[in-house]
């Protein structure tokens, strides 16, 4: 599923108040919560009951209007006038969620509507559990979309395809700013390691776990050693790119993982013209060294 920008908005509303939150992977962020005391139904008849009913309806309408305005403040980016989440999950009890759905700004795409027993934080946990299947389906659709874009670039017959694939070709581009979207298989086994030599020089490389000893020299200290997919999930923001973590459950995902090594990138521009082809003698001289480094990728 999508890890980078796959953030969803949650609105939990009932007669006690409304809560706004975002959920991205396992991270939940409460944006705000607002409690309200609404008039209850009046048991008496006559003109007093009519007046009370009118006041009650006005209070409920004002409450929904306030919730609608808060949703815009939280989920519409004022700089772009666009929704800043992948979609909205709206949950609550009574009829407030139905009324709010009809009143919401049309730029807010409601993915799912759920009846829940609780409000505020407890209601959020219930809604997150209920929405699990819906959000996974949204993630699969977006996963298929980005992989299809990747394949379309590969299929181009000219030399202007804006893609890179394979660990060896893609890793050196990570800190160059050229990558728009990095695509990584969720079960990629490669390990990213940082080692330091006795004289203080650090080296960073990615390889299979069983190959790490081949690249650690005597006296080196291993400072970091993590799955590459875990490291990039934590750090991709620092490189100005989006990250898509894909599985192999769809035909597109399976083809990407099996055919392209589980690592690829959609680039902001074509870089083929920037690559200088080595001369024949340079290739021959470096041949033996390249063969020795098949399992190791430096960046």
């Amino acid at each position: 599923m999508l890890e980078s920008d796959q953030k969803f908005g949650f609105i939990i509303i009932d007669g006690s108040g409304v809560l706004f939150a975002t959920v991205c992977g396992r991270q939940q962020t409460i944006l705000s919560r607002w409690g309200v005391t609404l008039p209850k139904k009046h048991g008496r008849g006559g003109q007093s009951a009519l007046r009370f009913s009118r006041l009650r309806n006005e209070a409920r309408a004002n409450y929904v209007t306030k919730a609608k305005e808060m949703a815009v403040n939280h989920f519409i980016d004022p700089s772009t006038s666009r929704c800043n989440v992948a979609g909205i999950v709206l949950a609550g009890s009574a009829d407030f969620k139905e009324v709010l759905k009809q009143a919401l700004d049309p730029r807010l795409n409601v993915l799912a509507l759920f009846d829940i027993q609780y409000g505020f934080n407890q209601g959020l946990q219930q809604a997150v559990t209920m929405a699990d299947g819906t959000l996974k389906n949204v993630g699969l659709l977006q996963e298929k979309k980005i992989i299809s874009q990747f394949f379309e670039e590969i299929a181009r017959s000219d030399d202007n395809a804006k893609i890179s694939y394979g660990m060896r070709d893609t890793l050196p581009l990570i800190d160059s700013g050229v990558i728009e979207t990095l695509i990584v298989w969720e079960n990629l086994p490669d390990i990213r390691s940082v080692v330091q030599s006795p004289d203080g020089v650090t080296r960073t490389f990615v390889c299979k776990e069983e190959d790490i000893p081949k690249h650690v020299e005597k006296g080196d200290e291993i400072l970091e050693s993590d799955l590459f997919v875990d490291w990039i999930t934590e750090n991709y923001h620092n490189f100005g790119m989006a990250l898509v973590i894909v599985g192999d459950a769809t035909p597109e995902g399976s083809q990407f993982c099996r055919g392209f090594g589980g690592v690829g990138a959609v680039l902001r521009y074509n870089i083929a013209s920037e690559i200088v082809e080595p001369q024949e003698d340079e290739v021959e001289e470096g041949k033996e060294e390249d063969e020795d480094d098949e399992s190791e990728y430096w960046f």
Side-chain angles (χ1 to χ4, degrees), residues 18 24 70 99 129 164-165 191 201 211 234 245 296:
V18 59
C24 184
M70 294 175 73
V99 177
T129 300
S164 173
Y165 54 85
I191 303 292
V201 177
D211 293 324
E234 293 292 327
I245 304 296
E296 179 183 38

Side-chain angles (χ1 to χ4, degrees), residues 192-195 202-206 224 231 296-299:
R192 175 187 179 270
S193 300
V194 180
V195 300
T202 60
R203 309 190 311 279
T204 303
F205 60 89
V206 177
E224 299 177 30
W231 177 83
E296 179 183 38
Y297 310 104
W298 297 82
F299 72 105

Side-chain angles (χ1 to χ4, degrees), residues 8 114 148 151 192:
F8 298 93
F114 295 112
S148 295
F151 288 155
R192 175 187 179 270

Side-chain angles (χ1 to χ4, degrees), residues 164-174 179 263 271 275 297:
S164 173
Y165 54 85
M167 192 72 83
R168 182 178 295 280
D169 291 336
T170 304
L171 277 188
L173 303 178
I174 285 180
I179 295 180
V263 176
I271 61 169
I275 300 175
Y297 310 104

Side-chain angles (χ1 to χ4, degrees), residues 10-242:
F10 277 71
I11 303 175
I12 311 300
I13 186 168
D14 63 9
S16 300
V18 59
L19 177 144
F20 298 88
T22 58
V23 175
C24 184
R26 295 184 178 87
Q27 182 177 357
Q28 299 177 14
T29 303
I30 306 296
L31 303 177
S32 70
R33 50 178 290 166
W34 177 50
V36 64
T37 302
L38 296 173
K40 300 186 181 299
K41 290 183 178 180
H42 190 55
R44 298 179 181 177
Q47 293 183 348
S48 177
L50 293 175
R51 182 175 62 84
F52 191 87
S53 177
R54 178 175 55 81
L55 294 175
R56 179 174 178 270
N57 290 337
E58 287 179 358
R60 290 166 67 92
N62 291 337
Y63 171 45
V64 171
T65 298
K66 176 67 174 179
K68 177 184 71 173
E69 293 171 351
M70 294 175 73
V72 170
N73 291 337
H74 288 307
F75 300 127
I76 298 294
D77 187 339
S79 64
T80 63
S81 294
R82 295 181 178 179
C83 185
N84 58 20
V85 291
I88 302 293
V89 174
L90 181 54
S93 59
D95 60 347
F96 284 108
K97 63 183 181 302
E98 301 283 355
V99 177
L100 180 58
K101 181 184 178 184
Q102 297 300 320
L104 279 177
D105 189 295
R107 292 172 292 180
L108 299 177
N109 177 29
V110 177
L111 301 172
L113 199 68
F114 295 112
D115 286 310
I116 54 177
Q117 299 175 335
Y118 309 101
F120 295 124
N121 296 56
Q122 196 171 357
L124 174 63
Q125 302 311 314
Q126 189 178 6
V128 168
T129 300
M130 296 175 72
D132 184 62
T134 300
L135 303 191
K136 283 183 178 178
N137 288 337
V138 172
L140 285 174
L141 289 175
Q142 296 195 5
E143 174 184 311
K144 291 177 68 173
K145 181 178 179 180
I146 190 65
I147 294 179
S148 295
Q149 180 185 353
F150 178 83
F151 288 155
E152 286 171 6
E153 287 292 330
I154 289 178
R156 294 182 61 163
S157 57
D158 55 31
D159 294 326
N160 295 315
K162 297 183 291 184
I163 53 98
S164 173
Y165 54 85
M167 192 72 83
R168 182 178 295 280
D169 291 336
T170 304
L171 277 188
L173 303 178
I174 285 180
D175 61 356
S176 69
V178 69
I179 295 180
E180 181 175 303
T181 303
L182 182 67
I183 311 169
V184 180
W185 180 32
E186 62 183 356
N187 293 321
L188 190 74
D190 299 67
I191 303 292
R192 175 187 179 270
S193 300
V194 180
V195 300
Q196 185 177 56
S197 65
D199 56 359
V201 177
T202 60
R203 309 190 311 279
T204 303
F205 60 89
V206 177
C207 67
K208 299 292 187 292
E209 184 174 13
E210 61 269 22
D211 293 324
I212 292 177
K214 299 178 184 177
H215 310 300
V216 178
E217 300 174 3
K218 185 177 181 180
D220 284 349
E221 178 185 1
I222 300 179
L223 304 179
E224 299 177 30
S225 189
D226 304 287
L227 280 169
F228 174 76
V229 66
D230 290 343
W231 177 83
I232 197 64
T233 298
E234 293 292 327
N235 293 277
Y236 73 92
H237 298 92
N238 301 328
F239 302 103
M241 61 186 180

